[in-house]
Amino acid sequence: MSEQVQVRFVTQTPYKVSDATILLPSSIKKEGLSEIVNGLLDIEKPIPFDFLIDGQLLRTSISEYLNATNLSTENLVTIEYVESMLPPVPLTAYQHDDWISSVTGKSGLFATGSYDNMVRLWNTSGECISTFIGHTDSVKSVSLGQVDGDKAIVFSGSLDHSVLAWEYSLENSSYRLMYECKGHKGPVESVAVDANNNYLASASADGLVRVWTTLEPTEDEHLEDEQPSKKKKKAGESRKIKARSVALEGHVGAVNTVAFNNNDSNIVYTGGWDHSIRAWDVEQQVNLSTKVIMAKFRNRQNY
């Protein structure tokens, strides 16, 4: 008898099924999962789906994924599903070669983040004026900070657990990687900058929200439990490490989104997989209020 694993399905598409726990063979792959979801939907024309676990696209069986991530089949596995999309058409107007995960705009510029690990900056004519390369995994969120006549500051969060800060020179049409915000132990799902461009917030699958100043550090900072590295940087590598941040802890599970109050940079709003929306006082590190949103069909088995 094949080994089984407990799973529940979640989605942000209109094709929702019950999130009740079900038992499936651990050897099941994407195609089998798609058949199961379509069966639960009971629709006439099947829809192809892709599946993600902890933000990672499932390319193998569930058991292979669990083994690769040192997890047990006894764990409850939450699987997010999205409609499968055809790859982008290779035209000059489409310069991302994978899913675009985030778009943000300000002052005549807009930035995009993609599953191709890259951040791109565009002008209002639709021209890609720069491609920022530095992440080692998919970019989930981008946010524009200060934009003036000389430069534009862009922040990006990635599945590689990092938040990167970029400076683009509008005069020289060049960019540099200013620093890496280090501290999250899971994929970074969302980043946001306050109205005054003084603070940066990041939300992560590790359940934490972190708030950083946007100031570039003069030298590398280190985490409290980390010993300063004696390893020399590679030639040409100027990335500084920013580790000092305020941690906001309270969500149960992944935090998916974060935003600042437009009128008060000390107030941050977050939303997570625990169905809650929370307001935080950053300076006091206090959860000011929590609103729990119950899924409409949470207690219904068939609909």
Side-chain angles (χ1 to χ4, degrees):
M1 184 175 180
S2 63
E3 194 172 17
Q4 293 186 311
V5 62
Q6 298 182 81
V7 307
R8 71 182 185 101
F9 292 107
V10 297
T11 188
Q12 297 181 26
T13 74
Y15 304 105
K16 289 188 177 182
V17 301
S18 169
D19 65 354
T21 301
I22 60 175
L23 277 174
L24 295 178
S26 62
S27 59
I28 196 167
K29 296 184 177 181
K30 167 186 169 181
E31 294 75 14
L33 292 171
S34 196
E35 287 183 15
I36 289 173
V37 171
N38 274 282
L40 293 171
L41 289 170
D42 193 23
I43 53 180
E44 185 175 343
K45 186 178 179 180
I47 299 170
F49 291 104
D50 281 316
F51 299 86
L52 301 94
I53 302 177
D54 294 331
Q56 302 276 3
L57 279 169
L58 185 65
R59 299 301 192 190
T60 63
S61 67
I62 295 178
S63 61
E64 289 175 293
Y65 171 84
L66 294 177
N67 288 334
T69 53
N70 296 318
L71 295 174
S72 168
T73 53
E74 295 180 0
N75 294 346
L76 172 62
V77 181
T78 298
I79 303 178
E80 181 181 4
Y81 60 97
V82 295
E83 292 179 73
S84 294
M85 303 294 290
L86 293 174
V89 179
L91 300 175
T92 55
Y94 296 85
Q95 298 200 33
H96 281 292
D97 58 10
D98 212 327
W99 294 353
I100 295 174
S101 58
S102 181
V103 179
T104 185
K106 180 191 287 186
S107 303
L109 296 174
F110 68 97
T112 55
S114 171
Y115 272 67
D116 63 8
N117 303 0
M118 298 180 190
V119 177
R120 287 175 171 83
L121 192 64
W122 311 73
N123 60 25
T124 52
S125 298
E127 299 171 318
C128 180
I129 60 176
S130 190
T131 300
F132 303 159
I133 300 174
H135 283 292
T136 58
D137 208 334
S138 305
V139 178
K140 288 299 295 289
S141 181
V142 290
S143 185
L144 274 167
Q146 178 184 353
V147 178
D148 55 31
D150 298 324
K151 64 183 178 181
I153 307 298
V154 182
F155 301 95
S156 55
S158 167
L159 294 182
D160 64 13
H161 302 188
S162 75
V163 177
L164 300 184
W166 314 83
E167 180 184 73
Y168 177 76
S169 170
L170 298 168
E171 182 179 355
N172 300 323
S173 300
S174 61
Y175 79 89
R176 70 183 181 95
L177 176 49
M178 298 166 62
Y179 55 84
E180 173 186 349
C181 294
K182 190 174 181 181
H184 282 299
K185 300 184 184 302
V188 178
E189 300 291 337
S190 179
V191 293
V193 183
D194 76 305
N196 297 316
N197 303 313
N198 292 326
Y199 296 98
L200 167 70
S202 56
S204 170
D206 65 9
L208 293 179
V209 177
R210 293 187 178 273
V211 181
W212 327 71
T213 68
T214 56
L215 290 175
E216 183 176 0
T218 56
E219 59 183 18
D220 285 351
E221 300 171 356
H222 301 281
L223 301 173
E224 292 181 0
D225 59 349
E226 178 184 58
Q227 294 297 321
S229 175
K230 296 182 180 179
K231 184 179 179 181
K232 293 184 179 180
K233 292 184 177 180
K234 297 178 182 178
E237 184 179 6
S238 59
R239 178 189 307 194
K240 299 184 184 74
I241 300 299
K242 192 178 185 74
R244 299 190 187 101
S245 66
V246 173
L248 305 177
E249 185 174 4
H251 277 285
V252 180
V255 188
N256 293 89
T257 187
V258 61
F260 280 95
N261 183 306
N262 285 333
N263 299 316
D264 186 350
S265 298
N266 190 50
I267 304 299
V268 167
Y269 305 106
T270 60
W273 277 42
D274 57 8
H275 298 195
S276 75
I277 301 169
R278 298 172 186 254
W280 305 82
D281 181 308
V282 177
E283 184 177 350
Q284 300 298 322
Q285 296 178 250
V286 172
N287 185 181
L288 298 174
S289 64
T290 301
K291 303 291 184 183
V292 178
I293 309 299
M294 301 303 294
K296 184 176 180 181
F297 299 110
R298 186 170 179 78
N299 296 317
R300 297 179 62 179
Q301 298 298 318
N302 298 294
Y303 55 95

